[in-house]
Amino acid sequence: MTRNRLVSLASTAALFLEGAGWAGDRPRFDAVSLRLQPGDFALSIEEYRATGTHIARGSVDFNRVFMLTMIRRAYGVEEYQIRHVAWMDRVYSGRATFSEKTPLDQVPAMMRTMLEERFGLRAHIETKVVKVWLLEQAPGGAKLAKASGKALGVSGLPFGVELGQAKRMANSNPNKDWLVMSQSTMRTFCILLSKEAKRPVLDRTGLEREYDVNVEVANAYPRQIPPPSMTPLPPAVHIEDPPLVLGPALKQLGLKFRESREPVEFLFIEAVPSIGPKS
C-alpha cells in the first residue's frame, strides 16, 4: 500500500471518528454473536413478521437479516446505491450488545466497525454522474392522499406496510401489483421507485409533507400473457423501460418522470466479507 493511500485512509478514519463523537477509538459493539442461516428456509407468518433488525437500549437483535441490509444500515445507503451480488443474500441471526449509555444513533457506526473488523468488509462511497429519473409534479399538481396515521395493507394479505415505509405488495392479478406507502415522504417513495425503475429516482416534487400511497402498477418484469385458447405459449414479454410501465401509476398520483444526468453517491465494495465473523 502506498504512503498516499495510507494517509488517505488515516484522514478518512479521523474524519469518521470526529463526526461520530468518539474519542480515541472507533465505536464498536461490546460483544457480537451472529450465525449464518439457511437462505431457503420457509417461514410462518409470525416468523416473517419477527424478521429484521431490532434496536433497543444496549442491544441489537438480528433476526434473519440479509448481509445487504446490514451494509445499507452501516453505510447509510439505499439498495439502488449498491451493486447487488450473490453473497449479499447471506442471512444472519444473532445479537450485538453495547453500553446502555451509548446513544442509539451510534448503532450504524458500530455496525460498520463490526462488518469491517469482524467480517473483513472494505467499502467506500464515491459520487458518479449517472442517468436518473427526476420525480416531478405533473401539470395540474400532485394528487396524493394525506397521511392517515394508519399502517396500510392490501386485501387478502396478512401483513401490511408499517408507518414510514413503502413497498411493492402482491395483487390478485398476476400481471399487476400495488405500490403502497404509509405516512412517509416523497424521498421514501423515490427509494421504492428506484427499485422499480432500475435507476436512481430523485425527488424534485417540492412536496415536504407525509403522504399515503396505494396505487396499482403493472409488473415491470418479463411475463407470459397468453389468451386462454393459445397453444403453445407465446414468448415472454420483455419490458425494457420500466418507467413506461410506472407512468400510468404516476399519472394517477399527479406525478411524472423526467430523465436527467445527476451526481449520485454509490457504495463500492473493495473486499468481499468472509462468510462468518472473524474470531
Side-chain angles (χ1 to χ4, degrees), residues 76-126:
V77 296
E78 301 299 335
E79 284 189 34
Y80 72 86
Q81 295 172 280
I82 307 175
R83 177 177 168 270
H84 184 273
V85 289
W87 58 262
M88 294 181 182
D89 293 332
R90 297 171 187 161
V91 177
Y92 295 87
S93 292
R95 166 174 279 206
T97 59
F98 54 95
S99 170
E100 293 187 359
K101 297 180 181 180
T102 303
L104 295 184
D105 61 8
Q106 297 297 331
V107 169
M110 291 189 287
M111 289 180 63
R112 180 170 175 173
T113 302
M114 175 190 74
L115 292 173
E116 293 178 353
E117 293 185 348
R118 303 192 59 143
F119 283 83
L121 176 69
R122 293 291 180 269
H124 68 280
I125 292 177
E126 284 186 15

Side-chain angles (χ1 to χ4, degrees), residues 125-196:
I125 292 177
E126 284 186 15
T127 299
K128 297 186 67 175
V129 177
V130 297
K131 288 183 179 181
V132 303
W133 295 105
L134 302 179
L135 185 68
E136 301 177 333
Q137 295 191 51
K143 305 170 185 177
L144 295 164
K146 295 180 181 178
S148 66
K150 299 179 181 179
L152 300 182
V154 173
S155 178
L157 293 181
F159 45 83
V161 176
E162 297 178 3
L163 298 181
Q165 295 186 355
K167 292 182 180 180
R168 170 187 279 265
M169 303 289 286
N171 192 316
S172 58
N173 183 335
N175 299 303
K176 292 187 177 181
D177 278 336
W178 298 94
L179 298 183
V180 182
M181 181 173 75
S182 295
Q183 190 175 328
S184 197
T185 63
M186 285 293 97
R187 181 183 181 277
T188 300
F189 192 49
C190 283
I191 292 171
L192 174 61
L193 292 176
S194 296
K195 299 178 186 178
E196 301 296 314

Side-chain angles (χ1 to χ4, degrees), residues 234-253:
V237 179
H238 291 279
I239 302 171
E240 297 182 353
D241 199 350
L244 293 179
V245 179
L246 296 169
L250 295 180
K251 186 176 180 180
Q252 293 182 52
L253 301 173

Side-chain angles (χ1 to χ4, degrees), residues 28-51:
R28 55 174 46 83
F29 296 121
D30 293 335
V32 177
S33 175
L34 286 177
R35 302 175 303 279
L36 183 65
Q37 302 291 300
D40 56 353
F41 189 78
L43 301 178
S44 67
I45 293 174
E46 291 74 18
E47 288 172 331
Y48 177 81
R49 286 174 172 168
T51 60

